[in-house]
Amino acid sequence: MLDIMLNIHRSVWLLLVIVFVIAYINLTKGKEKGYKIPHHIARLFYVLMIVSGVYLLISYGFPINYTVKSILALWLIYLMEVILGRTKRGELTGSQRTYYWVQFAIALILIIMIGYNVIL
């Protein structure tokens, strides 16, 4: 069961990032329907990712590296919602956009590196 949840978790992460990028691109192009559907799919993937992540965290016994990864993952979900929400409302411009996208990139890279045991 652990291997199945690990594969689900990894797959959902990949799909989540792809769907997020699709939603953002459609949002910046002004395609309302092309934004709403991927955004709702991303929210479903947030739930799947959190459930599978909690299961894995409990199964592994809360090691520090995966606990840090969990905190970063929650931060990344927050950043995804902020980027999409503020862009939709027209509040994310200039240096704020750069600020959030840099945080997004750093968090995503750290999560991937911790998940594949490159660091920590």
Side-chain angles (χ1 to χ4, degrees):
M1 182 69 172
L2 188 64
D3 288 336
I4 293 170
M5 288 303 273
L6 183 61
N7 288 330
I8 289 171
H9 192 71
R10 287 179 179 167
S11 301
V12 168
W13 262 115
L14 176 65
L15 293 171
L16 176 60
V17 172
I18 291 169
V19 169
F20 167 74
V21 170
I22 290 170
Y24 183 77
I25 290 170
N26 285 333
L27 181 60
T28 56
K29 289 183 178 181
K31 297 179 180 177
E32 184 69 23
K33 199 172 219 177
Y35 155 76
K36 278 188 175 182
I37 294 170
H39 192 194
H40 288 299
I41 293 170
R43 287 178 175 164
L44 171 66
F45 286 160
Y46 297 154
V47 173
L48 291 173
M49 190 260 311
I50 290 171
V51 169
S52 64
V54 167
Y55 179 85
L56 291 171
L57 195 59
I58 291 169
S59 296
Y60 290 143
F62 294 93
I64 189 69
N65 57 339
Y66 291 126
T67 305
V68 170
K69 181 182 177 277
S70 300
I71 294 167
L72 285 171
L74 292 173
W75 182 251
L76 187 64
I77 290 172
Y78 166 77
L79 290 172
M80 289 179 183
E81 281 296 309
V82 166
I83 289 170
L84 290 176
R86 290 189 181 179
T87 300
K88 174 138 176 60
R89 291 187 302 270
E91 299 172 359
L92 194 63
T93 58
S95 62
Q96 270 192 343
R97 179 183 298 135
T98 304
Y99 174 74
Y100 283 109
W101 277 104
V102 166
Q103 285 186 61
F104 174 83
I106 290 170
L108 184 62
I109 290 168
L110 286 174
I111 288 168
I112 291 169
M113 292 176 77
I114 293 170
Y116 287 101
N117 295 319
V118 175
I119 58 173
L120 286 181

